Amino acid sequence: MSNITWSETAVYKLFCLDRRPERPLYTDCNIAKLAKSGLIQENEDRKWALTQEGENELANIKQHFNSGKLSELPLCVRKYYFNWGEYDDKKLPVRGLSQVALHDRSAEIRKKAAELLEKHNKLNKKTSNALSHDKDYQIRLIAAKNADIHNFFEESDERVVKTLIHNHKVDKECLEHWLNNPNSQIRVQAALLVDDSEVDEALAHLEPQDVAHVLARKPQWATRERVMDSWENADEVGCYRLVKVMRDMPDSFINQAFKSDAYMALHDRLEEYREAVRQVLELGAMFSEDSEIRRKIWERAEREIG
């Protein structure tokens, strides 16, 4: 490669001049850069065209592009390949691009290579498994769709785990690791997947506000005891979530809750209840005391609520 300090636009100019010499209205910085490096010169028609050195340089770049051995090129030239679409979708150099995705020194380039392979269904499981250990979470995010889920026992980013859950069947071994993960949001995602018989054990791994989040997402788990235990240490947002799933709560708890810092969460819920009761009484006034129709409506509503 020449000693030129490449930019993506300079690479673009080199490709353009290979296709057709041009006579620009002014000499921009990229033309000046290419001329100074001896890659282009003005011909007899006063148009800029490639020199022999420029032709050799371009041939070298094209050879790397065609083979997929991009990592040997300067960073801006590698970026140009992806950003300007300098490849044939039907003849991707899969082996070369796989090596770029695995070993390029730039995380941005590794990501672009993995994305291109994944876009064209060329990112195989072997490469995905290797990418699952990349230090950049965005690359692991791509790998998560095809890689073995057991490679992610120690995953540190909740977005990667979310992708794994969406694309794979999660087994108990995964849940066991994720419930002990330092990332609280990964523990939450794992807790949401446990069997009903393992709920209490899973909730024990969570922060109080996260317990409230899980119970709000899984209202069937929100027993009186779990709600009361979680309420004591939940933050304001957690309390608002718990109020939405409260069932069969004793007056003693409600009165005590009104004395806590999160009383407004309960206050708002009770106001919703008062308004609902008022509307029911107003609408129910059309029925007689012994109305069979009203009774059936109530029974149906109770069944729907569960």
Side-chain angles (χ1 to χ4, degrees):
M1 296 293 294
S2 65
N3 293 326
I4 183 174
T5 302
W6 286 104
S7 68
E8 291 181 53
T9 311
V11 182
Y12 170 73
K13 285 289 186 182
L14 193 67
F15 273 84
C16 286
L17 293 174
D18 178 51
R19 301 182 184 108
R20 184 180 71 252
E22 63 180 58
R23 185 177 183 179
L25 296 176
Y26 60 91
T27 302
D28 66 24
C29 61
N30 292 294
I31 291 291
K33 183 186 296 184
L34 293 170
K36 185 177 180 180
S37 299
L39 301 179
I40 64 173
Q41 65 183 8
E42 284 187 297
N43 61 19
E44 57 188 21
D45 297 324
R46 298 188 61 80
K47 293 181 179 180
W48 290 106
L50 300 186
T51 62
Q52 184 60 53
E53 185 178 349
E55 291 178 0
N56 294 340
E57 183 80 355
L58 184 61
N60 181 45
I61 292 174
K62 287 181 177 180
Q63 182 182 7
H64 282 81
F65 282 2
N66 292 334
S67 67
K69 296 180 179 180
L70 307 180
S71 297
E72 298 174 2
L73 298 170
L75 178 59
C76 282
V77 182
R78 306 202 303 276
K79 287 183 178 180
Y80 173 84
Y81 176 85
F82 295 106
N83 295 341
W84 298 67
E86 197 62 52
Y87 49 80
D88 185 344
D89 288 342
K90 297 179 181 179
K91 297 181 180 179
L92 286 178
V94 175
R95 181 177 296 181
L97 288 176
S98 296
Q99 291 302 308
V100 172
L102 290 169
H103 303 299
D104 196 274
R105 53 196 178 277
S106 165
E108 179 184 359
I109 297 300
R110 296 199 305 276
K111 175 175 174 284
K112 288 180 182 295
E115 285 178 332
L116 183 59
L117 291 169
E118 197 271 335
K119 177 182 177 181
H120 294 282
N121 297 316
K122 300 296 184 181
L123 188 62
N124 60 35
K125 187 165 186 175
K126 180 179 179 180
T127 304
S128 295
N129 282 336
L131 292 177
S132 68
H133 303 293
D134 195 283
K135 60 184 179 182
D136 190 290
Y137 89 88
Q138 295 185 71
I139 297 170
R140 299 197 305 277
L141 201 61
I142 299 169
K145 298 174 183 178
N146 296 313
D148 187 337
I149 195 171
H150 293 141
N151 290 335
F152 298 88
F153 281 162
E154 306 303 324
E155 178 54 50
S156 60
D157 193 282
E158 64 273 14
R159 290 162 291 193
V160 176
V161 171
K162 186 175 181 179
T163 299
L164 290 165
I165 292 170
H166 180 74
N167 289 278
H168 299 271
K169 183 177 180 180
V170 179
D171 57 28
K172 288 190 175 182
E173 192 174 7
C174 289
L175 294 181
E176 181 180 346
H177 282 85
W178 291 345
L179 282 171
N180 290 283
N181 195 289
N183 185 322
S184 64
Q185 293 307 302
I186 291 178
R187 298 200 302 273
V188 167
Q189 292 188 54
L192 288 167
L193 298 175
V194 302
D195 295 334
D196 290 349
S197 61
E198 301 170 334
V199 173
D200 289 322
E201 181 181 353
L203 295 181
H205 289 83
L206 307 183
E207 300 295 332
Q209 63 269 21
D210 293 332
V211 172
H213 173 73
V214 169
L215 295 180
R217 290 276 303 275
K218 294 278 191 176
Q220 67 271 28
W221 293 349
T223 63
R224 174 194 290 191
E225 292 75 16
R226 288 171 183 154
V227 170
M228 292 173 68
D229 289 343
S230 179
W231 180 275
E232 186 174 349
N233 295 306
D235 58 15
E236 184 176 355
V237 174
C239 288
Y240 270 99
R241 286 171 171 164
L242 290 172
V243 163
K244 297 290 185 180
V245 296
M246 282 183 176
R247 298 289 186 275
D248 191 33
M249 306 306 295
D251 286 352
S252 58
F253 171 78
I254 294 175
N255 288 328
Q256 184 65 31
F258 263 115
K259 299 177 183 178
S260 70
D261 293 337
Y263 76 94
M264 282 303 300
L266 196 58
H267 175 271
D268 291 348
R269 188 62 167 170
L270 290 180
E271 286 301 314
E272 292 177 10
Y273 177 73
R274 290 191 186 97
E275 179 60 22
V277 170
R278 186 187 66 77
Q279 291 186 24
V280 168
L281 292 175
E282 287 181 353
L283 295 172
M286 67 182 292
F287 301 106
S288 63
E289 287 294 328
D290 59 349
S291 171
E292 185 69 12
I293 295 175
R294 183 176 66 174
R295 183 185 65 79
K296 290 181 178 179
I297 292 174
W298 273 95
E299 289 178 351
R300 180 178 177 180
E302 288 174 344
R303 287 197 301 270
E304 291 174 348
I305 294 173

PDB file of all heavy atoms in Angstrom, residues 18-34:
ATOM      1  N   ASP A  18     -10.892   5.198 -12.037  1.00  0.00           N
ATOM      2  CA  ASP A  18     -10.599   3.973 -12.777  1.00  0.00           C
ATOM      3  C   ASP A  18     -11.654   3.738 -13.854  1.00  0.00           C
ATOM      4  O   ASP A  18     -11.349   3.236 -14.940  1.00  0.00           O
ATOM      5  CB  ASP A  18     -10.551   2.791 -11.814  1.00  0.00           C
ATOM      6  CG  ASP A  18     -10.307   1.466 -12.526  1.00  0.00           C
ATOM      7  OD1 ASP A  18      -9.356   1.393 -13.317  1.00  0.00           O
ATOM      8  OD2 ASP A  18     -11.085   0.523 -12.288  1.00  0.00           O
ATOM      9  N   ARG A  19     -12.881   4.112 -13.553  1.00  0.00           N
ATOM     10  CA  ARG A  19     -13.972   3.914 -14.508  1.00  0.00           C
ATOM     11  C   ARG A  19     -13.963   4.987 -15.597  1.00  0.00           C
ATOM     12  O   ARG A  19     -14.232   4.699 -16.762  1.00  0.00           O
ATOM     13  CB  ARG A  19     -15.313   3.939 -13.766  1.00  0.00           C
ATOM     14  CG  ARG A  19     -15.435   2.861 -12.685  1.00  0.00           C
ATOM     15  CD  ARG A  19     -16.796   2.879 -12.009  1.00  0.00           C
ATOM     16  NE  ARG A  19     -16.852   1.908 -10.918  1.00  0.00           N
ATOM     17  CZ  ARG A  19     -16.861   2.239  -9.633  1.00  0.00           C
ATOM     18  NH1 ARG A  19     -16.809   3.526  -9.283  1.00  0.00           N
ATOM     19  NH2 ARG A  19     -16.906   1.315  -8.710  1.00  0.00           N
ATOM     20  N   ARG A  20     -13.660   6.219 -15.208  1.00  0.00           N
ATOM     21  CA  ARG A  20     -13.693   7.301 -16.194  1.00  0.00           C
ATOM     22  C   ARG A  20     -12.870   8.481 -15.693  1.00  0.00           C
ATOM     23  O   ARG A  20     -13.145   9.018 -14.595  1.00  0.00           O
ATOM     24  CB  ARG A  20     -15.131   7.753 -16.424  1.00  0.00           C
ATOM     25  CG  ARG A  20     -15.270   8.818 -17.507  1.00  0.00           C
ATOM     26  CD  ARG A  20     -16.722   9.261 -17.714  1.00  0.00           C
ATOM     27  NE  ARG A  20     -17.197  10.046 -16.579  1.00  0.00           N
ATOM     28  CZ  ARG A  20     -18.077   9.605 -15.685  1.00  0.00           C
ATOM     29  NH1 ARG A  20     -18.560   8.367 -15.798  1.00  0.00           N
ATOM     30  NH2 ARG A  20     -18.473  10.360 -14.683  1.00  0.00           N
ATOM     31  N   PRO A  21     -11.860   8.896 -16.438  1.00  0.00           N
ATOM     32  CA  PRO A  21     -11.127  10.108 -16.053  1.00  0.00           C
ATOM     33  C   PRO A  21     -12.090  11.293 -15.982  1.00  0.00           C
ATOM     34  O   PRO A  21     -13.084  11.338 -16.699  1.00  0.00           O
ATOM     35  CB  PRO A  21     -10.115  10.280 -17.191  1.00  0.00           C
ATOM     36  CG  PRO A  21      -9.946   8.909 -17.751  1.00  0.00           C
ATOM     37  CD  PRO A  21     -11.301   8.271 -17.647  1.00  0.00           C
ATOM     38  N   GLU A  22     -11.814  12.226 -15.124  1.00  0.00           N
ATOM     39  CA  GLU A  22     -12.725  13.353 -14.986  1.00  0.00           C
ATOM     40  C   GLU A  22     -11.962  14.670 -14.875  1.00  0.00           C
ATOM     41  O   GLU A  22     -10.780  14.700 -14.512  1.00  0.00           O
ATOM     42  CB  GLU A  22     -13.627  13.165 -13.769  1.00  0.00           C
ATOM     43  CG  GLU A  22     -12.885  13.123 -12.436  1.00  0.00           C
ATOM     44  CD  GLU A  22     -13.822  12.932 -11.261  1.00  0.00           C
ATOM     45  OE1 GLU A  22     -14.561  11.917 -11.236  1.00  0.00           O
ATOM     46  OE2 GLU A  22     -13.811  13.803 -10.366  1.00  0.00           O
ATOM     47  N   ARG A  23     -12.665  15.713 -15.191  1.00  0.00           N
ATOM     48  CA  ARG A  23     -12.093  17.052 -15.112  1.00  0.00           C
ATOM     49  C   ARG A  23     -12.947  17.887 -14.169  1.00  0.00           C
ATOM     50  O   ARG A  23     -13.907  18.541 -14.590  1.00  0.00           O
ATOM     51  CB  ARG A  23     -12.050  17.703 -16.495  1.00  0.00           C
ATOM     52  CG  ARG A  23     -11.350  19.049 -16.510  1.00  0.00           C
ATOM     53  CD  ARG A  23     -11.285  19.585 -17.919  1.00  0.00           C
ATOM     54  NE  ARG A  23     -10.563  20.840 -17.975  1.00  0.00           N
ATOM     55  CZ  ARG A  23     -10.340  21.513 -19.124  1.00  0.00           C
ATOM     56  NH1 ARG A  23     -10.791  21.034 -20.259  1.00  0.00           N
ATOM     57  NH2 ARG A  23      -9.665  22.657 -19.097  1.00  0.00           N
ATOM     58  N   PRO A  24     -12.653  17.823 -12.886  1.00  0.00           N
ATOM     59  CA  PRO A  24     -13.480  18.527 -11.909  1.00  0.00           C
ATOM     60  C   PRO A  24     -13.357  20.042 -12.050  1.00  0.00           C
ATOM     61  O   PRO A  24     -12.358  20.558 -12.559  1.00  0.00           O
ATOM     62  CB  PRO A  24     -12.917  18.055 -10.567  1.00  0.00           C
ATOM     63  CG  PRO A  24     -11.505  17.667 -10.868  1.00  0.00           C
ATOM     64  CD  PRO A  24     -11.515  17.134 -12.265  1.00  0.00           C
ATOM     65  N   LEU A  25     -14.387  20.727 -11.614  1.00  0.00           N
ATOM     66  CA  LEU A  25     -14.380  22.190 -11.663  1.00  0.00           C
ATOM     67  C   LEU A  25     -13.331  22.756 -10.715  1.00  0.00           C
ATOM     68  O   LEU A  25     -12.840  23.860 -10.906  1.00  0.00           O
ATOM     69  CB  LEU A  25     -15.764  22.729 -11.307  1.00  0.00           C
ATOM     70  CG  LEU A  25     -16.894  22.353 -12.289  1.00  0.00           C
ATOM     71  CD1 LEU A  25     -18.226  22.861 -11.771  1.00  0.00           C
ATOM     72  CD2 LEU A  25     -16.596  22.910 -13.671  1.00  0.00           C
ATOM     73  N   TYR A  26     -13.012  22.009  -9.703  1.00  0.00           N
ATOM     74  CA  TYR A  26     -11.990  22.444  -8.756  1.00  0.00           C
ATOM     75  C   TYR A  26     -11.289  21.202  -8.211  1.00  0.00           C
ATOM     76  O   TYR A  26     -11.809  20.089  -8.304  1.00  0.00           O
ATOM     77  CB  TYR A  26     -12.599  23.251  -7.607  1.00  0.00           C
ATOM     78  CG  TYR A  26     -13.629  22.479  -6.802  1.00  0.00           C
ATOM     79  CD1 TYR A  26     -13.263  21.741  -5.676  1.00  0.00           C
ATOM     80  CD2 TYR A  26     -14.969  22.476  -7.182  1.00  0.00           C
ATOM     81  CE1 TYR A  26     -14.183  21.028  -4.955  1.00  0.00           C
ATOM     82  CE2 TYR A  26     -15.904  21.753  -6.465  1.00  0.00           C
ATOM     83  CZ  TYR A  26     -15.518  21.036  -5.352  1.00  0.00           C
ATOM     84  OH  TYR A  26     -16.444  20.320  -4.643  1.00  0.00           O
ATOM     85  N   THR A  27     -10.130  21.378  -7.688  1.00  0.00           N
ATOM     86  CA  THR A  27      -9.363  20.273  -7.123  1.00  0.00           C
ATOM     87  C   THR A  27      -9.662  20.161  -5.636  1.00  0.00           C
ATOM     88  O   THR A  27      -9.250  21.017  -4.843  1.00  0.00           O
ATOM     89  CB  THR A  27      -7.852  20.494  -7.335  1.00  0.00           C
ATOM     90  OG1 THR A  27      -7.595  20.619  -8.730  1.00  0.00           O
ATOM     91  CG2 THR A  27      -7.051  19.335  -6.752  1.00  0.00           C
ATOM     92  N   ASP A  28     -10.417  19.128  -5.266  1.00  0.00           N
ATOM     93  CA  ASP A  28     -10.737  18.985  -3.847  1.00  0.00           C
ATOM     94  C   ASP A  28      -9.582  18.316  -3.116  1.00  0.00           C
ATOM     95  O   ASP A  28      -8.592  17.888  -3.720  1.00  0.00           O
ATOM     96  CB  ASP A  28     -12.061  18.224  -3.662  1.00  0.00           C
ATOM     97  CG  ASP A  28     -11.988  16.777  -4.126  1.00  0.00           C
ATOM     98  OD1 ASP A  28     -10.885  16.207  -4.167  1.00  0.00           O
ATOM     99  OD2 ASP A  28     -13.046  16.202  -4.443  1.00  0.00           O
ATOM    100  N   CYS A  29      -9.741  18.202  -1.810  1.00  0.00           N
ATOM    101  CA  CYS A  29      -8.640  17.700  -0.988  1.00  0.00           C
ATOM    102  C   CYS A  29      -8.296  16.251  -1.314  1.00  0.00           C
ATOM    103  O   CYS A  29      -7.129  15.840  -1.224  1.00  0.00           O
ATOM    104  CB  CYS A  29      -8.969  17.856   0.491  1.00  0.00           C
ATOM    105  SG  CYS A  29     -10.427  16.942   1.032  1.00  0.00           S
ATOM    106  N   ASN A  30      -9.295  15.451  -1.721  1.00  0.00           N
ATOM    107  CA  ASN A  30      -9.023  14.048  -2.017  1.00  0.00           C
ATOM    108  C   ASN A  30      -8.252  13.900  -3.324  1.00  0.00           C
ATOM    109  O   ASN A  30      -7.351  13.059  -3.436  1.00  0.00           O
ATOM    110  CB  ASN A  30     -10.343  13.264  -2.079  1.00  0.00           C
ATOM    111  CG  ASN A  30     -11.009  13.166  -0.724  1.00  0.00           C
ATOM    112  OD1 ASN A  30     -10.493  12.530   0.178  1.00  0.00           O
ATOM    113  ND2 ASN A  30     -12.152  13.812  -0.574  1.00  0.00           N
ATOM    114  N   ILE A  31      -8.620  14.694  -4.332  1.00  0.00           N
ATOM    115  CA  ILE A  31      -7.865  14.693  -5.584  1.00  0.00           C
ATOM    116  C   ILE A  31      -6.420  15.118  -5.318  1.00  0.00           C
ATOM    117  O   ILE A  31      -5.460  14.503  -5.815  1.00  0.00           O
ATOM    118  CB  ILE A  31      -8.520  15.642  -6.614  1.00  0.00           C
ATOM    119  CG1 ILE A  31      -9.856  15.072  -7.081  1.00  0.00           C
ATOM    120  CG2 ILE A  31      -7.593  15.887  -7.795  1.00  0.00           C
ATOM    121  CD1 ILE A  31      -9.745  13.827  -7.928  1.00  0.00           C
ATOM    122  N   ALA A  32      -6.272  16.173  -4.524  1.00  0.00           N
ATOM    123  CA  ALA A  32      -4.928  16.653  -4.196  1.00  0.00           C
ATOM    124  C   ALA A  32      -4.128  15.588  -3.454  1.00  0.00           C
ATOM    125  O   ALA A  32      -2.925  15.399  -3.705  1.00  0.00           O
ATOM    126  CB  ALA A  32      -5.040  17.926  -3.355  1.00  0.00           C
ATOM    127  N   LYS A  33      -4.783  14.876  -2.568  1.00  0.00           N
ATOM    128  CA  LYS A  33      -4.121  13.827  -1.794  1.00  0.00           C
ATOM    129  C   LYS A  33      -3.655  12.689  -2.709  1.00  0.00           C
ATOM    130  O   LYS A  33      -2.525  12.196  -2.600  1.00  0.00           O
ATOM    131  CB  LYS A  33      -5.085  13.297  -0.728  1.00  0.00           C
ATOM    132  CG  LYS A  33      -4.503  12.243   0.193  1.00  0.00           C
ATOM    133  CD  LYS A  33      -5.561  11.679   1.116  1.00  0.00           C
ATOM    134  CE  LYS A  33      -6.106  12.753   2.050  1.00  0.00           C
ATOM    135  NZ  LYS A  33      -7.076  12.190   3.026  1.00  0.00           N
ATOM    136  N   LEU A  34      -4.533  12.269  -3.629  1.00  0.00           N
ATOM    137  CA  LEU A  34      -4.174  11.191  -4.550  1.00  0.00           C
ATOM    138  C   LEU A  34      -3.052  11.613  -5.492  1.00  0.00           C
ATOM    139  O   LEU A  34      -2.151  10.827  -5.806  1.00  0.00           O
ATOM    140  CB  LEU A  34      -5.409  10.767  -5.355  1.00  0.00           C
ATOM    141  CG  LEU A  34      -6.539  10.080  -4.566  1.00  0.00           C
ATOM    142  CD1 LEU A  34      -7.783   9.931  -5.435  1.00  0.00           C
ATOM    143  CD2 LEU A  34      -6.093   8.720  -4.046  1.00  0.00           C
TER     144      LEU A  34
END
